[in-house]
Amino acid sequence: MTDIPHDTGRYARRHRRLARLVVALIALVASLVAAASPARADEAGMASSYTVEGTVAKDGGLTVRETIAWTGGDTPPASLTQRLATRYDQLDNAYYEYTISGLKASSGGRDLGAKVSTDGTYQVITVDTSKLSGKTLTISYSVRGAATKDAEVKGRKAHTTIVWRVLQGLSVPVREASGTVKMPGLIDRYSCQSGAPVAPSACRLSQGGAGGQLDPVFTDGPRGAGEMVEMTIGISSTQVSPDAVLKYEWTLDRAFSASPAALLSALAALLLGGFLVWLLHRRGGRDLEGSGEPSRIAEFSPVGPGEEEFSLLAPVRPGEVGTIADERVDPVDVTATLLDLAVRGHLIIHELPRENPHAPIDWSFERVEGEDELRDYERLLLDAVAPRRGEDQVKVSEISEAIGPVIPEVEDALYDEVVREGWFERRPDATRNRWNAMGVGAVVVAAVAAALLVAFTTLGLLGLALLAVAVALLVVGQQMPRRTARGSDVLAGLHLLAGELMYHRTDQMPPARAYEELSQILPYAVVLGGRERWLDALAAADDDIGTPDPEDLTWYHAPDTWHMQDLPVSMGAFVTTVQGRLFGR
C-alpha cells in the first residue's frame, strides 16, 4: 500500500507529459495550416464547379456552353477572364486555325456585356463579375475548325476527329470540372486529358461510345488557373464532316523543302528549261555552217629569196575584224581604225613634245587626203578626230570629248557595214537588245514566281531552278547574233590570220618597203594580237641607228629627238591611252 501513492504520482506525471505533447502537436498543426494558407492564396475566387455542355453538328461546327458556379464559401473574383486558343499546332510548322464566334457572357439569362478582344492567337473574354445574378456565370461561343480529317487508311472509311479544350485559359481555379458533348452519331474513339497544357494526363473520369453512355462525358478536378481539359472524339465522316483547314507557318527550311516532290520538280525545270535554252541558241544563235574553207583575209607572199610581203586578200578593215570576231564594237576596234586610217594615208598621228620629262605623252591628229575610199564609220571617226583645215586640232587627252558624241553613229555605221557585207543576217546589237529584253523579262517573271513559291509553298527549289533558267536565257541572249555562212568563213580566216600574226617571222620584209609592209600589219595586230612583236620589227627595220627618226614613218611623226627604237613604247602608250580614254567617256 505504501507504493500506491508513488504509482499514482507516476501516472499523473505521464498524463501531464502526454497533455503537453498533444498541445504541442496541435500548435504544430496550427502553425502548418497558417503557413500553408498563403500558398493557397491563388485559390481566391476558386469556382466550386465548372460544367460544359457541348454540341457537335453534322457539318463539324461545335457550340460550347460553360457554366461556372461559386457555392458555399466560394466567392467570385472582381473580374474573370478566359483565353481561348485560335490555333492548334501540329508537327512540321503546321497548325489548324479555329474560328471562334458568338463569344459572350451571361448570368441569370442577362447578357453581361463582357469585353471580347484578340491577343495574338487567342480570343479573350473579360467579365465584370460584380454584375452576376447570384454566383453563376455562363460563357458561350461557337467554334469552326475543330473537326479534322484523319489520314486515309486502306480498308477504313473516312474518319473525323474533333479536338477541343473544353476548359482552357480560365483565370480562376475550379474544384470540379465536368461536361458532356452531344454527338450526331455513335462515336468510335474518345479520350480526355487534363492538367497543365505542356504536360497533360488522363482525366479522372471519362467515358462515352459504349454501354449506356453514347455521348462522351468527363469529370475532373481540381484544376488550377490556366489548366485545361481537352476532349478528343473520333467519329465517321458520314456522321460529322471535317471543317478544319491545315495551314503552315512560313519558315525558310519549309519554303526550300528537299522533299522528293520538290527535288523532282526543280530537276525537271532545270532539265526542260536548259534544253529549251539550248534549242533556242542552236536554232537562233548558232552560226550558219560555212563552206568548210576559211576565207583568207591576208597572207604573207614570197617576193624573193628570204623576202615576203603582207597582202590583203579580202576587204576586211581592222575595225570590222573585231566586230566580226566578238560581235561588238569595242574601243580596240576604234583604236585599230584610227591606226589603219593613219597607215592608209588619211591621218598623221603627231607625238607632242613633253612639257617636262615626267609629263605623260600626248598626241594630236592631222588630216591628210588619202587615196582610197572611206567607209561611213571611218568618215565619221575621221571627221571627229581630225576636222578640216582651219579647225582646232584634237589631242588624245581630249579624244573622249571629240569622239564621244559620234560614237553611237560610228557603232551604227559599223554594225550596218558588217550586215551590208553579208557577214551577219541582222545587226548584232539589235539582236542582242531583243534577246536581252526577253532575258530581263524572263528573269523578272522567274523572280516573281520564285518569290511566290517561297512565300506560299514548299517549292522554293523550283523557284531557284526557274530563276537559273531565266538567267541562262539572259546570258545566252548575248550570244544570239549569228553569222551567215560567209561570216563563218571569214571568222575562220581571221583565226588563221591571228595565228600568223602571233607566230610568223617578222624579219623577212623587203628592206626597201619594210616600214610600209610592217605598218600595214600593225592595225590588224592591235585587234588580233601580236602587236608588240610587230612594233619591235618596225623598230628593228631602222637602218640609221643613232640618228633621230622623227618623220621616218609617213603616218607617225614625233619630236626631233625621237628614234625608231622609241616606237614600241610610244605606240604602246598611244594604244593604251586611246582605249583608256574611250572606256572612260
Side-chain angles (χ1 to χ4, degrees):
M1 296 295 294
T2 57
D3 292 332
I4 292 176
H6 175 73
D7 293 338
T8 303
R10 183 187 303 167
Y11 285 120
R13 286 194 297 274
R14 288 178 179 175
H15 283 296
R16 285 196 296 274
R17 286 197 297 272
L18 182 60
R20 285 197 296 272
L21 180 59
V22 170
V23 170
L25 288 173
I26 293 173
L28 178 61
V29 170
S31 65
L32 290 174
V33 170
S37 59
R40 297 184 60 82
D42 63 337
E43 294 186 356
M46 173 180 277
S48 305
S49 64
Y50 177 94
T51 306
V52 177
E53 297 176 8
T55 302
V56 175
K58 287 183 175 292
D59 64 357
L62 170 66
T63 57
V64 178
R65 178 184 175 90
E66 308 166 352
T67 301
I68 308 169
W70 291 266
T71 59
D74 294 329
T75 57
S79 68
L80 177 144
T81 62
Q82 186 172 21
R83 296 167 57 86
L84 302 176
T86 57
R87 61 180 281 169
Y88 184 47
D89 292 331
Q90 305 291 301
L91 297 176
D92 193 25
N93 300 301
Y95 64 94
Y96 288 106
E97 189 171 64
Y98 299 135
T99 300
I100 299 173
S101 60
L103 184 59
K104 67 177 184 177
S106 61
S107 181
R110 181 171 58 88
D111 190 344
L112 299 180
K115 178 183 177 182
V116 178
S117 61
T118 300
D119 182 12
T121 58
Y122 292 90
Q123 284 270 30
V124 183
I125 183 169
T126 303
V127 183
D128 181 1
T129 54
S130 63
K131 299 179 181 180
L132 295 182
S133 298
K135 295 184 177 182
T136 302
L137 168 66
T138 299
I139 296 177
S140 58
Y141 56 89
S142 299
V143 182
R144 300 294 308 190
T148 64
K149 181 180 180 181
D150 289 359
E152 295 184 4
V153 177
K154 187 176 181 179
R156 192 184 75 177
K157 295 181 179 180
H159 204 262
T160 300
T161 298
I162 299 95
V163 181
W164 185 248
R165 291 179 176 178
V166 291
L167 169 62
Q168 60 174 307
L170 201 62
S171 61
V172 298
V174 296
R175 295 189 187 280
E176 184 173 87
S178 60
T180 303
V181 176
K182 297 184 179 300
M183 302 296 295
L186 183 64
I187 66 175
D188 53 28
R189 180 164 52 90
Y190 170 53
S191 66
C192 179
Q193 289 189 314
S194 62
V198 294
S201 58
C203 294
R204 193 174 73 201
L205 174 65
S206 62
Q207 59 178 344
Q213 181 58 51
L214 301 182
D215 293 326
V217 298
F218 76 92
T219 301
D220 194 69
R223 294 269 68 92
E227 293 189 339
M228 63 89 183
V229 175
E230 181 179 88
M231 300 177 72
T232 302
I233 307 166
I235 191 170
S236 170
S237 294
T238 59
Q239 300 292 327
V240 175
S241 301
D243 67 345
V245 178
L246 186 64
K247 296 185 176 182
Y248 291 91
E249 190 170 1
W250 188 92
T251 64
L252 194 61
D253 289 344
R254 185 174 182 279
F256 291 95
S257 170
S259 65
L263 289 173
L264 287 175
S265 62
L267 181 60
L270 281 175
L271 293 177
L272 180 59
F275 172 75
L276 290 176
V277 170
W278 173 83
L279 187 62
L280 285 172
H281 180 265
R282 183 176 178 83
R283 299 191 62 178
R286 187 182 181 186
D287 292 344
L288 296 179
E289 189 173 350
S291 64
E293 291 293 330
S295 295
R296 303 275 308 177
I297 307 302
E299 66 179 4
F300 292 89
S301 306
V303 293
E307 295 182 356
E308 58 187 8
E309 64 180 8
F310 182 76
S311 302
L312 287 175
L313 303 177
V316 182
R317 302 278 169 86
E320 298 160 3
V321 166
T323 307
I324 296 170
D326 63 10
E327 305 165 351
R328 298 176 183 275
V329 177
D330 299 318
V332 68
D333 303 331
V334 176
T335 306
T337 299
L338 288 175
L339 285 175
D340 187 49
L341 287 171
V343 170
R344 285 161 47 206
H346 297 278
L347 198 64
I348 296 176
I349 302 171
H350 289 275
E351 181 179 325
L352 303 177
R354 301 191 191 190
E355 296 179 1
N356 62 71
H358 304 290
I361 306 175
D362 204 353
W363 300 262
S364 65
F365 301 97
E366 178 187 353
R367 184 167 186 158
V368 293
E369 294 300 328
E371 296 180 358
D372 62 350
E373 184 179 353
L374 292 174
R375 296 180 180 174
D376 291 343
Y377 69 92
E378 292 176 326
R379 186 176 297 103
L380 288 167
L381 196 58
L382 186 60
D383 290 341
V385 300
R388 296 292 178 179
R389 293 186 183 278
E391 300 183 29
D392 294 336
Q393 289 185 327
V394 174
K395 296 180 181 180
V396 167
S397 57
E398 303 165 349
I399 197 170
S400 60
E401 291 81 4
I403 292 183
V406 301
I407 279 293
E409 296 179 60
V410 172
E411 291 176 341
D412 284 344
L414 193 45
Y415 284 130
D416 288 338
E417 185 66 30
V418 296
V419 174
R420 188 181 302 113
E421 291 290 341
W423 298 323
F424 288 90
E425 293 180 332
R426 300 177 183 84
R427 285 178 43 147
D429 61 328
T431 302
R432 266 194 309 274
N433 291 340
R434 183 171 65 255
W435 282 96
N436 186 66
M438 293 174 60
V440 170
V443 169
V444 171
V445 171
V448 172
L452 294 175
L453 289 171
V454 168
F456 299 107
T457 73
T458 60
L459 300 177
L461 292 177
L462 174 59
L464 292 181
L466 295 175
L467 194 56
V469 171
V471 171
L473 179 62
L474 183 62
V475 172
V476 170
Q478 302 305 304
Q479 312 301 321
M480 280 303 193
R482 70 172 180 177
R483 302 170 186 85
T484 61
R486 183 180 176 187
S488 298
D489 289 340
V490 169
L491 181 63
L494 291 177
H495 289 320
L496 291 177
L497 179 58
E500 291 180 318
L501 294 178
M502 289 296 295
Y503 302 108
H504 195 82
R505 294 184 61 174
T506 62
D507 58 353
Q508 293 183 324
M509 297 298 171
R513 299 197 308 276
Y515 285 168
E516 179 183 348
E517 295 292 333
L518 292 170
S519 296
Q520 190 179 5
I521 295 172
L522 185 59
Y524 291 93
V526 167
V527 180
L528 295 173
R531 179 189 75 202
E532 293 81 4
R533 58 197 307 268
W534 295 103
L535 284 172
D536 290 340
L538 271 167
D542 183 16
D543 57 3
D544 57 354
I545 297 176
T547 302
D549 310 299
E551 296 185 1
D552 275 18
L553 296 174
T554 59
W555 57 273
Y556 191 90
H557 293 174
D560 292 340
T561 57
W562 187 86
H563 295 264
M564 281 297 296
Q565 284 70 33
D566 298 324
L567 181 64
V569 174
S570 295
M571 190 51 55
F574 174 83
V575 171
T576 302
T577 304
V578 170
Q579 291 190 57
R581 294 285 180 178
L582 292 177
F583 270 118
R585 65 183 174 87

